Amino acid sequence: MDFGLYLRNKREEKGISTRELSKRIGKSSNYISSLENGRTKLPSPAVAKKILEELSIEKIPEVMVEFKIIEKKDRVRVLFEMDDESKKQEMIDSINQSIEQMDIEMLSAFYGVLKRHKDVVMNVNHLEDTDKRSLNSFKDYLDYLVNKE
């Protein structure tokens, strides 16, 4: 299944018209129709995220990876770009679930990384308010860790 068909199925399941969805995300109904019919390639990550949020899709980063809107390494970045606290919590729960499946060696390595960088981890919100470069460096580091797997 491609993203357009997925979008149409989810939109119809929710009983939302293309016109209504287009208003919610700030795009034309022709754009939504073009996506659904495959005339428009994949949307940008920002637009895809808006669409998926409006359709109340769970696990947005995973859906975006599945349809190759973002790469697997970018799913951590999506967490930081989420405005909705429930979406952040959902991603955190997913991370926790991954941690629960790690063997003792992996857990030990993960713990070591977090311990070495706990001051950064504990102050992510503060970093976002004060220094975007620091936050971007932290995001890049997290991306690096995710890519190592």
Side-chain angles (χ1 to χ4, degrees), residues 75-76 79-80 91-119 121 138 141-149:
R75 67 179 189 247
V76 173
L79 170 65
F80 287 99
M91 182 64 143
I92 290 168
D93 291 344
S94 174
I95 292 169
N96 284 336
Q97 190 174 31
S98 295
I99 290 170
E100 288 173 2
Q101 295 173 1
M102 289 181 185
D103 63 23
I104 194 69
E105 276 185 21
M106 289 179 74
L107 278 174
S108 179
F110 185 68
Y111 174 75
V113 168
L114 289 179
K115 188 174 180 182
R116 280 191 304 276
H117 302 286
K118 70 180 175 189
D119 56 327
V121 173
F138 181 65
Y141 181 67
L142 286 175
D143 285 342
Y144 165 75
L145 291 175
V146 169
N147 282 331
K148 280 183 69 174
E149 62 176 80

Side-chain angles (χ1 to χ4, degrees), residues 32-49:
I32 301 297
S33 179
S34 291
L35 271 176
E36 290 182 356
N37 293 316
R39 291 188 307 267
T40 297
K41 299 257 182 194
L42 294 173
S44 70
V47 171
K49 186 177 124 191

Side-chain angles (χ1 to χ4, degrees), residues 4 24 26 39 52 56 61 70 77 82-83 90 92 100 114 128 134 138:
R24 291 182 187 183
R39 291 188 307 267
L52 296 171
S56 303
I70 60 172
R77 188 178 308 272
M82 289 182 177
D83 298 327
E90 182 181 302
I92 290 168
E100 288 173 2
L114 289 179
E128 188 169 20
S134 296
F138 181 65

